[in-house]
Amino acid sequence: MRRSKIGLIIGCIVIMLAFPLAYYISNRDREITLELGIFAGSNWDVANANSYVIIDKAIAKFEQQHKNVKIHYYSGILKRDYSEWLTKQLLLGKMPDVFMILSDDFNRLASLGALKDLEKLMEKDSSFRKEEYFTTALMTGQYNGSQYALPYETVPTLMFVNKTLLMKEGIKVPDSDWTWDDMYEICKMVTKDTDGDGHLDQFGSYNYDWLDAAYTNGMVLFEESDTKINLVNERVTQAVKFTKQLYDLNQGRMVTQDDFDSGRVAFMPLSFADYRTYKTYPYKIKKYHFKWDCITLPAGEYGANISEVNTLLMGISNKSRHEKLAWEFLKLLTYDEEIQMDIFRYSQGASVLKKVTGSKEAEIILQEYMEESEKVIDNELLSRVIEQGVVAPQFLRYREAVSLASSEIQTIIENDKNIDSSLKILQNKINQYLKQ
Amino acid sequence: MQNKNKKFIYLKMSMIAINFIAALFITLLIYVTTRIICDHFIAREFINSVASIPWNPYKNIVVSITLFCGLILSFIFREFIYSNNNKAIYITLIIDLIISITLIYFLDFNYNGILFLVIANIIAYTKGIRGRYILMLLSVAAIIIADYQLISINFELYSVYDYISYYDSSTQQALMVCYNSIVSINVVLFIIYCISVIQNQRGTIDEVNTLYEKLSQANEDLRIANEQLKEYSKITEKMGETRERNRLAREIHDTLGHTLTGILAGLDACLTTIEISPQETKKQLEMIAEVTRRGINEVRRSVNKLRPDALERLNLESAIRKMIMDVETMSHTKVTFETRVANLKFDADEEDTIYRVIQESLTNAIRHGKASRVWITMDSVDGEIILTIKDNGIGCVNMKKGFGTRHIVERIQMLRGSVKFDGSDGFTVTARIPIRWGEVYD
């Protein structure tokens, strides 16, 4: 009895020791595979022939530094399928170690605990300073005050200016600190009937809506929670009024994309990614037959020359078994200056690192693909627009709420309704929708 | 009893089975639903409606099955291998508790019914074990804490209902019926089990009561028998005494009476003849002396008959040695006997006294002193025998005059000797016995 008991205890201990030992032996020389979740094409919905160039470069660099690590990704997942693909992996418990996060998914993934809280990793890593990132870009990856993802690529919104048209009208291209009044003045001047057929055929702006105006007037749409939109205040009212003023200039004529493409519109908000795509070969030739450039958006009374900044995030799975390696790779993609410089070379966005975006090299790269005569966007200005920009909330309903608001406000403007009371009704309506 | 045990084992087995089904139901449902959701490309939509997601649906199944294997192993150990070892039962119960809590954790608190199984086992097994209440408290606390509704307030947990609500309403209903039935069956089994345990315990109490009654009856009978025995022994003692008295009377009558009668008759004859024939009288007196001497011999013989057995057959020293030998074989006490008196031959009453004193002292040393060593020495000083009996027992500080010592004192006083007792270091009896040297009337 006593003997068998001692045997049993020894057996248990041996088994308990055997498992970790076997695990250790089997893992000692084995190759570690890091799964990477990425999508093909551009996050900014512009054409991109070089989707995997940066990633492949980063992988090669990483695998060289870590001999026993292989990084694997599934190629060919389109952006529109990526969210579904990623959540499928999440449901099946097969989350990639490092993955891109679409802005609509970020809040949901963070709240489901699918993302690793990076605060500790950032703290432990002495070679890492989060101040290197643009504040807005970094903020995009925060949830409940903690950093759950790091920015990889960022794109601010700029104002497209038809230089040919302005030159023709004898108007100087506005400075980067221009205001609503400046814009209104210019729009008023250019809005006219050039061919004398009694119909307006030259316009001030296209696609410039209340949201662009509100952002430049210091508006914060969601102050407290995801479920409460804030529309009833002076800043929003001013923005809507300003939009209405611009609308009224056109005397009810709807400006179309065609008007813009044929060079009859002075201003249009444009993402930095669009700017880079259409400013360079081959799209440059096809798209526009006039000289154009990009400047900041005009500032309202309470705001600055800022705009919405979109950032593509990358995070680490909370269940990753190679946390340290995943962190190293994430750092390589988002924090390595060489890789981040490649964003300018092979992608359409801007680097999330202040130093890279503000560098001479970046400016040279941007210039490289443009015509000699064209003046590229000033790096300092670009950095400022990104740094001070507005981060759009990242939950799925946000877009729906905003598009609902936009269409309602359009109706308010078109039907000449009372702006203050209409906004109050709209605010209640959207809040009710968000509560569902 | 055998039947009852079997019933309990079946009950426990069915509880394990139903819990296994419950865990398997949850994990399988989640796995299958996840698969369907992924195949229908509605994963993104689905995660909008849930609070959390299992870490890995497939591995959850594997983990649940593994944990249940552990539970079954612990059950087999407890039930069949170490069923009589309290420590093993205690350990397996703790293992059960740990396994259950791990399982609940992996199922994200969707199902805590497995704790009923643990409580059932604790109720059944921990009758004699210390810490049963701690174990019980732990499990009950676990049931209260491990409640989905409670925990989901502060933590993001996945819910089996989220997965059920994926299906169309008729399937939902069927699944809900299944799931709730499993949960209810588990509770019902637990209640049946508890009732059986209570009934079983009541049966045991009845049995104990019956046995106790029987025992009381037996005790009473025994007491009466004991009383009768005492009575009987008193009677026998009395009878022995009477018989002894009769024997003594007969002896006295046969020896002393006979001799004294002879002496009286001789003396009467002497009274008549002393004046007529002094010569004849002298002859007569010589005859009387002879009769008297014979009478003394007779008396000695009679007295001899009343002496202790050993003394009757042996001389004093041999008798003492025999007594010592007997004592040493019967108790584990080592007795040393030393004498510096050349010839241990005294009068019968003196020998008796010495023998009895040694006997009483040895008895006291063993019975009261719990001594392992006894030293007996005899010495002769100024015509007195100094008898010392010393032991290494516990001794006694305030010595009570027990029966044994009183006898010793009486016996020695009869010979005009003295005796001292000292209970400070072991127990020492020192007796001084004056000896009537040479007064041998032989």
Side-chain angles (χ1 to χ4, degrees):
Chain A
M1 183 71 182
R2 177 159 287 269
R3 208 152 181 211
S4 70
K5 206 189 264 176
I6 290 169
L8 200 74
I9 292 168
I10 291 172
C12 285
I13 292 170
V14 166
I15 289 168
M16 275 194 284
L17 288 178
F19 273 112
L21 196 72
Y23 186 77
Y24 172 75
I25 289 169
S26 68
N27 272 293
R28 196 172 39 180
D29 299 320
R30 217 176 55 188
E31 198 168 74
I32 297 169
T33 306
L34 271 187
E35 278 295 331
L36 175 65
I38 52 168
F39 52 84
S42 166
N43 185 42
W44 326 111
D45 301 318
V46 292
N48 183 358
N50 306 320
S51 335
Y52 296 119
V53 176
I54 304 174
I55 295 293
D56 287 339
K57 230 176 130 179
I59 289 174
K61 193 172 173 184
F62 191 77
E63 286 177 350
Q64 204 179 14
Q65 285 166 358
H66 303 83
K67 290 290 176 205
N68 63 336
V69 183
K70 280 267 170 291
I71 291 173
H72 172 261
Y73 66 85
Y74 291 98
S75 59
I77 303 163
L78 297 176
K79 189 194 168 194
R80 64 166 185 272
D81 300 328
Y82 181 73
S83 183
E84 177 65 28
W85 177 82
L86 192 69
T87 39
K88 182 175 158 180
Q89 305 305 309
L90 174 67
L91 282 182
L92 292 174
K94 292 180 191 163
M95 272 302 248
D97 296 284
V98 180
F99 49 89
M100 286 179 173
I101 304 160
L102 297 182
S103 57
D104 284 353
D105 295 342
F106 175 72
N107 274 23
R108 197 74 265 264
L109 289 178
S111 72
L112 280 175
L115 301 176
K116 173 140 232 101
D117 187 344
L118 302 176
E119 291 291 341
K120 270 206 187 112
L121 287 166
M122 297 191 329
E123 232 170 77
K124 266 194 288 181
D125 196 332
S126 56
S127 65
F128 182 86
R129 283 181 64 246
K130 61 179 179 184
E131 289 76 20
E132 297 284 324
Y133 291 107
F134 285 112
T135 320
T136 40
L138 201 63
M139 237 163 68
T140 322
Q142 285 170 358
Y143 176 78
N144 278 352
S146 282
Q147 198 76 38
Y148 280 92
L150 287 180
Y152 169 69
E153 187 177 356
T154 186
V155 162
T157 306
L158 298 169
M159 184 64 105
F160 176 105
V161 188
N162 186 335
K163 280 209 291 200
T164 312
L165 192 145
L166 288 193
M167 223 183 306
K168 192 183 85 190
E169 295 293 332
I171 303 165
K172 229 175 74 202
V173 174
D175 295 328
S176 62
D177 59 349
W178 61 318
T179 63
W180 284 357
D181 293 338
D182 299 332
M183 178 167 168
Y184 183 71
E185 283 306 316
I186 296 170
C187 287
K188 205 172 153 188
M189 276 196 273
V190 301
T191 307
K192 55 172 75 154
D193 172 17
T194 49
D195 57 7
D197 65 352
H199 297 290
L200 290 178
D201 53 15
Q202 185 169 290
F203 308 96
S205 66
Y206 170 63
N207 255 356
Y208 181 84
D209 69 2
W210 73 280
L211 201 58
D212 296 310
Y215 281 145
T216 51
N217 204 25
M219 172 203 66
V220 181
L221 264 188
F222 294 89
E223 257 171 328
E224 288 152 27
S225 68
D226 288 357
T227 55
K228 249 185 164 175
I229 197 165
N230 179 16
L231 290 178
V232 183
N233 60 55
E234 180 65 15
R235 292 162 192 229
V236 178
T237 314
Q238 276 186 352
V240 174
K241 277 181 180 156
F242 177 60
T243 323
K244 184 171 159 50
Q245 277 181 333
L246 292 178
Y247 173 81
D248 287 345
L249 281 178
N250 300 340
Q251 294 166 12
R253 162 81 150 78
M254 291 303 290
V255 184
T256 61
Q257 181 74 41
D258 189 50
D259 290 327
F260 182 81
D261 289 347
S262 39
R264 297 200 295 265
V265 182
F267 301 114
M268 179 178 83
L270 190 78
S271 85
F272 180 67
D274 282 319
Y275 163 78
R276 285 195 54 196
T277 309
Y278 299 127
K279 202 74 167 142
T280 53
Y281 184 83
Y283 302 101
K284 179 178 71 174
I285 305 168
K286 274 178 149 176
K287 195 84 179 175
Y288 307 119
H289 307 286
F290 46 83
K291 286 198 168 180
W292 60 279
D293 205 348
C294 274
I295 55 169
T296 57
L297 269 74
E301 190 187 335
Y302 297 106
N305 300 85
I306 55 167
S307 57
E308 187 177 334
V309 174
N310 275 302
T311 305
L312 176 59
L313 294 168
M314 291 195 92
I316 298 175
S317 164
N318 201 12
K319 311 247 162 66
S320 174
R321 279 188 295 162
H322 312 290
E323 184 187 301
K324 191 121 189 47
L325 285 170
W327 167 249
E328 287 296 327
F329 189 59
L330 179 69
K331 221 174 78 177
L332 178 72
L333 286 173
T334 63
Y335 195 72
D336 185 90
E337 282 173 22
E338 196 187 322
I339 300 292
Q340 278 291 311
M341 192 62 84
D342 284 342
I343 300 253
F344 285 107
R345 282 199 192 94
Y346 304 109
S347 190
Q348 290 77 31
S351 164
V352 290
L353 297 175
K354 291 179 196 166
K355 204 168 158 192
V356 174
T357 298
S359 70
K360 194 80 200 146
E361 197 182 345
E363 203 174 320
I364 293 167
I365 293 168
L366 286 179
Q367 183 70 63
E368 207 173 293
Y369 297 95
M370 292 179 194
E371 276 177 42
E372 296 278 319
S373 58
E374 294 272 18
K375 182 184 152 294
V376 287
I377 187 159
D378 180 0
N379 271 23
E380 225 172 279
L381 175 68
L382 180 63
S383 295
R384 208 179 69 210
V385 169
I386 297 172
E387 177 67 18
Q388 296 174 351
V390 181
V391 178
Q394 303 188 77
F395 53 94
L396 194 62
R397 287 245 164 127
Y398 164 74
R399 264 165 227 290
E400 290 161 10
V402 163
S403 71
L404 183 68
S406 291
S407 77
E408 289 283 328
I409 286 173
Q410 192 59 36
T411 318
I412 293 169
I413 290 169
E414 280 171 24
N415 297 343
D416 208 5
K417 287 185 186 170
N418 178 295
I419 291 175
D420 284 315
S421 59
S422 303
L423 281 178
K424 263 179 208 159
I425 297 166
L426 180 60
Q427 174 172 299
N428 289 340
K429 194 172 164 186
I430 293 176
N431 282 343
Q432 247 166 18
Y433 165 75
L434 288 171
K435 262 183 212 157
Q436 280 169 14
Chain B
M1 206 64 192
Q2 198 60 38
N3 248 352
K4 264 183 200 164
N5 267 345
K6 221 166 226 175
K7 189 174 97 186
F8 279 121
I9 288 175
Y10 285 145
L11 260 175
K12 279 181 225 158
M13 280 175 170
S14 15
M15 279 187 84
I16 291 180
I18 197 79
N19 277 295
F20 182 64
I21 291 170
L24 215 57
F25 178 86
I26 293 172
T27 48
L28 269 179
L29 176 83
I30 287 173
Y31 178 73
V32 171
T33 313
T34 303
R35 277 267 158 222
I36 294 173
I37 287 169
C38 290
D39 291 346
H40 284 70
F41 297 103
I42 48 168
R44 181 67 187 90
E45 196 190 318
F46 178 73
I47 65 161
N48 276 337
S49 60
V50 299
S52 180
I53 285 165
W55 64 293
N56 188 324
Y58 177 68
K59 281 181 187 163
N60 252 5
I61 300 177
V62 177
V63 166
S64 305
I65 292 174
T66 316
L67 286 174
F68 264 97
C69 286
L71 214 57
I72 290 166
L73 266 182
S74 131
F75 171 75
I76 290 170
F77 266 81
R78 184 174 48 233
E79 202 71 47
F80 302 112
I81 299 179
Y82 290 119
S83 55
N84 292 319
N85 185 338
N86 269 356
K87 209 179 268 175
I89 288 172
Y90 198 66
I91 291 169
T92 53
L93 285 176
I94 288 176
I95 289 173
D96 274 11
L97 189 60
I98 293 169
I99 288 179
S100 305
I101 290 173
T102 316
L103 187 79
I104 290 170
Y105 174 76
F106 270 102
L107 295 181
D108 245 17
F109 303 94
N110 273 292
Y111 180 73
N112 64 7
I114 188 147
L115 284 170
F116 286 120
L117 178 69
V118 177
I119 290 182
N121 280 324
I122 290 171
I123 290 171
Y125 281 107
T126 53
K127 256 173 243 163
I129 297 181
R130 255 194 304 166
R132 100 181 267 200
Y133 292 106
I134 296 174
L135 263 181
M136 191 82 96
L137 211 70
L138 269 178
S139 341
V140 172
I143 284 199
I144 295 169
I145 295 166
D147 183 69
Y148 183 87
Q149 313 293 343
L150 199 72
I151 301 217
S152 60
I153 296 171
N154 288 319
F155 297 94
E156 299 293 354
L157 304 173
Y158 65 81
S159 162
V160 68
Y161 295 110
D162 285 342
Y163 283 82
I164 289 179
S165 63
Y166 159 78
Y167 295 95
D168 61 77
S169 59
S170 60
T171 322
Q172 267 185 41
Q173 271 177 0
L175 286 172
M176 291 293 272
V177 166
C178 270
Y179 182 58
N180 289 329
S181 308
I182 292 169
V183 172
S184 308
I185 289 172
N186 183 44
V187 173
V188 168
L189 274 176
F190 175 70
I191 291 168
I192 292 174
Y193 185 85
C194 284
I195 291 170
S196 310
V197 167
I198 291 166
Q199 269 182 346
N200 189 27
Q201 280 184 350
R202 189 187 265 164
T204 318
I205 289 169
D206 287 347
E207 245 166 64
V208 167
N209 279 340
T210 323
L211 281 176
Y212 179 73
E213 254 166 46
K214 275 186 192 164
L215 197 69
S216 302
Q217 188 59 44
N219 258 344
E220 184 60 21
D221 291 350
L222 214 60
R223 201 180 57 79
I224 292 165
N226 199 23
E227 220 121 273
Q228 283 172 346
L229 215 61
K230 268 186 195 163
E231 202 72 19
Y232 180 70
S233 83
K234 258 184 205 164
I235 292 166
T236 4
E237 202 176 297
K238 270 258 157 60
M239 275 166 74
E241 228 170 70
T242 316
R243 205 185 298 128
E244 191 67 7
R245 213 179 279 151
N246 288 346
R247 193 170 68 93
L248 270 173
R250 203 167 49 240
E251 285 284 338
I252 291 166
H253 178 263
D254 286 1
T255 52
L256 273 181
H258 182 74
T259 313
L260 286 175
T261 313
I263 291 167
L264 187 64
L267 286 177
D268 277 343
C270 284
L271 281 177
T272 41
T273 55
I274 191 156
E275 284 181 19
I276 310 156
S277 169
Q279 202 61 35
E280 195 70 14
T281 307
K282 195 185 171 194
K283 227 186 240 167
Q284 189 72 21
L285 281 172
E286 271 171 6
M287 235 166 63
I288 291 170
E290 181 56 30
V291 169
T292 310
R293 203 167 285 129
R294 256 205 322 260
I296 287 171
N297 273 343
E298 282 291 306
V299 168
R300 181 180 288 160
R301 195 182 51 80
S302 297
V303 169
N304 259 342
K305 271 186 193 162
L306 296 171
R307 298 181 81 180
D309 294 351
L311 269 177
E312 196 179 352
R313 286 180 282 109
L314 309 161
N315 63 25
L316 179 62
E317 186 167 357
S318 306
I320 291 172
R321 293 223 184 268
K322 179 162 190 319
M323 174 170 66
I324 288 169
M325 224 162 71
D326 289 347
V327 165
E328 281 184 333
T329 46
M330 281 189 304
S331 59
H332 295 283
T333 312
K334 177 110 178 60
V335 184
T336 317
F337 176 60
E338 263 176 45
T339 175
R340 263 164 254 156
V341 183
N343 186 14
L344 284 180
K345 184 93 180 87
F346 314 110
D347 280 353
D349 53 349
E350 290 160 354
E351 286 190 355
D352 259 3
T353 303
I354 291 168
Y355 185 85
R356 291 290 178 206
V357 167
I358 292 174
Q359 196 177 35
E360 288 290 341
S361 302
L362 275 178
T363 310
N364 284 345
I366 292 161
R367 190 192 298 158
H368 303 302
K370 310 267 182 300
S372 61
R373 290 283 279 122
V374 181
W375 295 271
I376 304 169
T377 51
M378 268 172 82
D379 215 340
S380 156
V381 177
D382 299 336
E384 283 180 335
I385 290 288
I386 312 288
L387 175 61
T388 318
I389 300 112
K390 181 176 163 45
D391 67 57
N392 67 344
I394 52 176
C396 69
V397 181
N398 292 318
M399 203 190 65
K400 277 183 284 179
K401 292 260 172 185
F403 200 64
T405 55
R406 205 182 71 208
H407 267 282
I408 292 172
V409 172
E410 273 175 13
R411 277 177 187 282
I412 288 173
Q413 274 172 358
M414 262 153 70
L415 295 176
R416 289 191 209 87
S418 63
V419 62
K420 276 190 288 183
F421 301 102
D422 177 17
S424 59
D425 176 24
F427 195 81
T428 313
V429 181
T430 316
R432 303 174 76 86
I433 305 166
I435 296 293
R436 300 182 299 273
W437 299 100
E439 285 179 69
V440 185
Y441 41 103
D442 202 329

